[in-house]
Amino acid sequence: MSFENLKGEVSTILEKEGLSVDERLLQVCTLLKEKISYYNWVGFYFVNGDKDELKLGPYVGAPTDHTIIPFGKGICGQVAVSNQNFVVPDVRAQDNYIACSIDVKAEIVVPLFKDGKNIGQIDIDSNTPDPFTEEDERFLEWVNEQVAEIL
């Protein structure tokens, strides 16, 4: 399924006012994991109050022990500091990578901004080497813009 086709489905989920924000975010994670073959783990991390750390939010995929990530640590922690997308074609080549699963080969993390402030991110792990393109980045930026509107 194309990213353009997925946009309508994402919008429909996020507009479900009868569901909590977490329920909607979980449905978005599920949709992305099911519809994009190389998205093997999809989740959101959010800034944990006034602490310099991220807290795991809704996600789908293998369970993870990484429910709290300090700013600067791992790919997610680096994005919390840099405010920039981070595409990792080969996680083994990263010195500051937090391994979640031996199967993960690549990762993409895109920050989520609300009122100009980085409040979290969407994190995608892939068991496929180097699958992410600029199209993935633009799509995930769009997803985060839509998510920010319901937060």
Side-chain angles (χ1 to χ4, degrees), residues 20-129:
S20 72
V21 168
D22 279 357
E23 289 170 325
R24 289 183 260 176
L25 293 182
L26 182 60
Q27 285 190 10
V28 168
C29 292
T30 301
L31 174 73
L32 299 184
K33 184 177 182 296
E34 287 177 354
K35 299 290 184 174
I36 303 172
S37 63
Y38 53 93
Y39 284 19
N40 300 107
W41 190 98
V42 179
F44 288 92
Y45 281 92
F46 292 98
V47 175
N48 191 11
D50 60 357
K51 299 176 185 172
D52 287 342
E53 64 185 23
L54 298 164
K55 184 175 182 179
L56 181 61
Y59 76 94
V60 293
T64 179
D65 293 333
H66 304 114
T67 57
I68 300 290
I69 298 176
F71 284 9
K73 186 164 173 60
I75 307 308
C76 291
Q78 290 176 75
V79 169
V81 173
S82 73
N83 298 323
Q84 302 290 320
N85 297 352
F86 199 154
V87 180
V88 182
D90 179 1
V91 295
R92 293 171 300 162
Q94 287 294 316
D95 291 338
N96 191 7
Y97 174 68
I98 302 172
C100 293
S101 164
I102 194 167
D103 296 326
V104 175
K105 304 286 188 266
E107 182 174 13
I108 184 171
V109 180
V110 176
L112 195 161
F113 297 96
K114 175 82 174 174
D115 300 324
K117 183 177 180 188
N118 184 346
I119 62 162
Q121 53 200 231
I122 190 167
D123 178 19
I124 315 282
D125 289 343
S126 180
N127 300 343
T128 303

